[in-house]
Amino acid sequence: MSAPVLVIKGLQVSYAGNRAVDLAELTVAPGEVVGVVGANGAGKSTLVNAVSGWSRGAPRVAGQITFAGQRVDAWPTHERVRAGLVLVPEGRVAFGRMTVEDNLSAAFAAAPAPGRRVYSRDEIYELFPRLAERREHLGQQLSGGERQMLGIGRALMMGPSVLLLDEPSIGLAPKMVSQVLETLRALARTGLAILLVEQNVRAAIEVVDRLLLLERGRKILEGPAREVGDDPRIAEAYLGATAA
Ligand code: ATP
């Protein structure tokens, strides 16, 4: 496996003095899909948001985030995006009153760079034929699965070398879940590094190389998906998530 393109060290994120994430180390290499799972409130969204430099509230973020050999933890979100560190946020359409076509056209198009593949709009339609069928529909008319495809499509047009995803399976029909996750797996085969936050542990295990279990912001288990998939703590997180 090649050297990691994303290295997170000593990441601590707190809201009003309450520690939401406390992670000693997390790496993702090109072509690798790393899954972060855990029950509600475990800190999964806080983690990917901190990596992308975005936040809902006003968290205090400390630690080192190294992306493609550069420290980016002091960079604003848009600079991380321009460099190829791109977050697909949870279940939202960028522009609800714009068509699928316009949503894609409005995506920031990165300049071609080594190790980064910038997708064209037509390539996104090839990847997700469903979006091509819906190209004249407004963002707000799309189903959950179609919104997710649009979010991933926009992100790919920004030429990511690391893609961060927050719960891409949420609100999706089971068939759509496997379709979206299989697409991510296929993208990783092209060399993209993927950090995938998921509550749907069973679905995540099918596509990730490595799985990390978070509990109250801390990593309590990490290993190859095949090995840790049967760990009772994973099953507990899964049951916790479904109960929630
Ligand atoms: P979920 O699947 O429910 O989104 P999660 O694992 O993504 O859960 P986070 O949303 O990251 O968990 O939340 C981690 C902790 O941080 C929780 O205790 C939560 O209450 C707290 N938290 C998250 N966002 C904020 C915020 N904007 N302000 C204050 N506390 C927050």
Side-chain angles (χ1 to χ4, degrees):
M1 170 122 356
S2 26
V5 58
L6 179 67
V7 180
I8 299 163
K9 278 200 174 140
L11 183 68
Q12 298 186 325
V13 188
S14 315
Y15 294 99
N18 297 313
R19 184 73 38 89
V21 168
D22 189 353
L23 193 63
E25 191 179 56
L26 170 60
T27 63
V28 190
E32 192 181 28
V33 184
V34 176
V36 176
V37 299
N40 261 319
K44 306 180 297 295
S45 301
T46 301
L47 166 65
V48 278
N49 289 344
V51 174
S52 73
W54 183 85
S55 70
R56 244 177 300 167
R60 194 177 164 277
V61 182
Q64 293 184 8
I65 300 167
T66 306
F67 168 66
Q70 282 183 291
R71 281 282 297 275
V72 299
D73 37 81
W75 294 13
T77 304
H78 68 269
E79 282 180 19
R80 299 186 205 194
V81 169
R82 276 181 192 277
L85 181 59
V86 183
L87 170 71
V88 181
E90 187 181 326
R92 276 181 288 121
V93 172
F95 305 107
R97 290 167 184 274
M98 277 169 41
T99 61
V100 165
E101 181 110 339
D102 289 343
N103 264 280
L104 289 175
S105 305
F108 154 77
R116 293 176 65 179
R117 168 154 184 215
V118 181
Y119 285 70
S120 68
R121 201 175 56 197
D122 287 343
E123 286 174 317
I124 299 303
Y125 287 146
E126 273 168 41
L127 193 63
F128 297 116
R130 183 73 188 147
L131 284 185
E133 290 165 27
R134 306 279 273 164
R135 68 173 82 197
E136 295 308 328
H137 290 242
L138 297 181
Q140 62 195 20
Q141 297 174 315
L142 301 180
S143 72
E146 291 160 355
R147 282 170 196 227
Q148 210 42 253
M149 292 172 186
L150 183 57
I152 296 170
R154 282 175 47 86
L156 292 174
M157 291 179 73
M158 300 177 197
S161 37
V162 172
L163 202 58
L164 311 162
L165 295 110
D166 192 0
E167 309 247 11
S169 79
I170 209 155
L172 268 55
K175 203 175 142 204
M176 199 59 97
V177 172
S178 30
Q179 199 182 325
V180 167
L181 294 183
E182 284 306 328
T183 304
L184 295 178
R185 186 69 254 174
L187 289 168
R189 279 195 285 271
T190 70
L192 189 63
I194 298 182
L195 183 61
L196 169 71
V197 156
E198 258 305 336
Q199 239 188 58
N200 188 337
V201 183
R202 287 291 151 226
I205 284 176
E206 297 296 319
V207 297
V208 303
D209 297 298
R210 196 145 46 83
L211 200 63
L212 224 104
L213 176 60
L214 279 193
E215 197 177 280
R216 280 185 234 107
R218 289 173 180 270
K219 172 164 75 179
I220 60 163
L221 185 68
E222 180 179 7
R226 251 173 282 109
E227 288 172 24
V228 299
D230 294 328
D231 192 289
R233 287 171 290 180
I234 293 280
E236 272 170 41
Y238 169 58
L239 292 172
T242 32

